[in-house]
Amino acid sequence: QVQLVESGGGLVQAGGSLRLSCVASGSIRSINAMGWYRQAPGKQRELVAIFISGGNTNYAGPVKDRFTISRDNTKNTLYLQMNSLKPEDTAVYYCYGTIRSMDGSLRYYWGQGTQVTVSS
């Protein structure tokens, strides 16, 4: 069993910053990929940033110079530092992971989401 739990969302003024956290827990053998997606009202869920194999990172174009993804492997925790926030960043942010459990199964998981609202 694997669970992802996000935290750190909230209301912030344009130009401000937030840091999101995601803790992966359960019977984890390895994490193949872990990242952040977001979904604004009426829009499709989109990739924000992700760690892939080898520790490489990918960022969506609109956030690449403002957001930073990081991780603490000892705590199975993922972070998203969001700076220079804009109203268009308003969305529910979801933690994503592709994780191999101790029983050998490889599955993808989603957190429940955390709301980020940026006021203009």
Side-chain angles (χ1 to χ4, degrees):
Q1 304 84 17
V2 174
Q3 302 84 37
L4 303 178
V5 179
E6 306 100 330
S7 62
L11 175 64
V12 65
Q13 291 182 298
S17 298
L18 285 173
R19 177 176 289 182
L20 307 183
S21 299
C22 172
V23 179
S25 62
S27 185
I28 298 170
R29 178 180 293 175
S30 62
I31 298 175
N32 285 14
M34 203 165 177
W36 295 94
Y37 288 70
R38 68 185 182 186
Q39 188 167 20
K43 299 180 68 175
Q44 298 292 107
R45 189 172 299 188
E46 64 180 2
L47 175 70
V48 176
I50 192 165
F51 275 105
I52 58 176
S53 179
N56 296 312
T57 56
N58 289 331
Y59 291 89
V63 310
K64 65 180 181 180
D65 295 321
R66 300 183 294 120
F67 293 7
T68 303
I69 190 170
S70 61
R71 62 187 180 185
D72 184 340
N73 292 329
T74 67
K75 300 179 180 179
N76 284 338
T77 301
L78 183 74
Y79 303 96
L80 184 68
Q81 179 66 47
M82 304 185 293
N83 297 325
S84 301
L85 283 161
K86 304 175 180 180
E88 52 262 45
D89 296 317
T90 295
V92 177
Y93 284 70
Y94 296 92
C95 184
Y96 167 88
T98 304
I99 298 169
R100 189 175 299 278
S101 300
M102 292 300 295
D103 67 4
S105 63
L106 181 67
R107 297 178 59 87
Y108 62 86
Y109 299 88
W110 292 98
Q112 294 300 305
T114 185
Q115 176 71 48
V116 172
T117 302
V118 184
S119 62
S120 61

